[in-house]
Amino acid sequence: MIRFRETQEDLLRQKRLFEVFSKRLNVKYKQFSSHSKKYRIDGFCYKNNSIYSWVECKWYSKKAHCYLNIPKFKELIQLSDITLLPSYFLFREYDKWGYILLHDGKNIVCNYTVKLAGGTPEGRAPNEDDIEPLIVLDKKNIVWGN
């Protein structure tokens, strides 16, 4: 049996992030199914039936680490390279939200390093790959939404 990493609570939190982000940009959004075999990322924003941007979300209960696993980062960058549309990492830290522009549709614009890191969220069964190589985004690139 395949165990999906996103719970119903995760999906609701993602939805909340998409809501505030899309409102700020005056666009609509679509979340990909957590059962999708096509996409690793969380979804996209669109306007007038045209894709506006690609998005990955992370809800932190404490300080934002701004980590992305390498396959998700690669997918976001490739989607931006192919479609010439921006990619964003959208997140919540405590009671505020923010984002980092990863790719502007032409180039990677975020600063990052690669680090072996990660862990299992409290109350969840550990996965064997919770500690993995991760993209660590530079917090100097954060744009705060509130």
Side-chain angles (χ1 to χ4, degrees):
M1 181 175 107
I2 298 172
R3 190 170 91 205
F4 295 98
R5 295 173 188 260
E6 291 175 330
T7 65
Q8 277 306 116
E9 185 179 17
D10 292 335
L11 296 174
L12 288 172
R13 289 173 170 176
Q14 250 181 44
K15 182 179 183 213
R16 181 66 188 126
L17 284 169
F18 268 113
E19 286 170 349
V20 296
F21 185 63
S22 64
K23 183 177 180 182
R24 169 110 179 231
L25 297 178
N26 194 30
V27 296
K28 295 180 182 180
Y29 68 90
K30 173 80 172 155
Q31 287 176 261
F32 290 126
S33 166
S34 60
H35 301 281
S36 175
K37 293 182 174 44
K38 292 183 181 182
Y39 296 95
R40 291 182 180 101
I41 64 168
D42 292 327
F44 60 92
C45 293
Y46 66 98
K47 191 172 192 167
N48 301 324
N49 294 324
S50 293
I51 305 296
Y52 179 82
S53 65
W54 307 104
V55 180
E56 174 62 21
C57 301
K58 185 75 172 170
W59 187 283
Y60 297 102
S61 56
K62 296 181 182 170
K63 192 82 174 150
H65 298 295
C66 296
Y67 295 165
L68 266 176
N69 76 31
I70 292 173
K72 285 184 183 184
F73 184 76
K74 179 182 173 188
E75 180 169 334
L76 287 160
I77 299 308
Q78 286 178 329
L79 285 167
S80 288
D81 280 340
I82 292 165
T83 64
L84 305 179
L85 298 170
S87 290
Y88 294 91
F89 175 64
L90 177 59
F91 65 93
R92 177 184 178 265
E93 176 184 87
Y94 298 111
D95 61 348
K96 57 187 178 178
W97 69 275
Y99 64 88
I100 296 175
L101 177 63
L102 306 176
H103 192 293
D104 66 4
K106 294 181 182 171
N107 297 297
I108 295 174
V109 294
C110 64
N111 299 311
Y112 64 91
T113 58
V114 179
K115 177 179 179 181
L116 184 62
T120 306
E122 253 183 73
R124 294 205 189 171
N127 291 299
E128 64 185 36
D129 61 351
D130 282 345
I131 305 294
E132 62 181 320
L134 295 169
I135 298 293
V136 181
L137 298 165
D138 189 334
K139 292 180 182 180
K140 292 177 185 170
N141 296 144
I142 294 173
V143 177
W144 291 106
N146 61 340

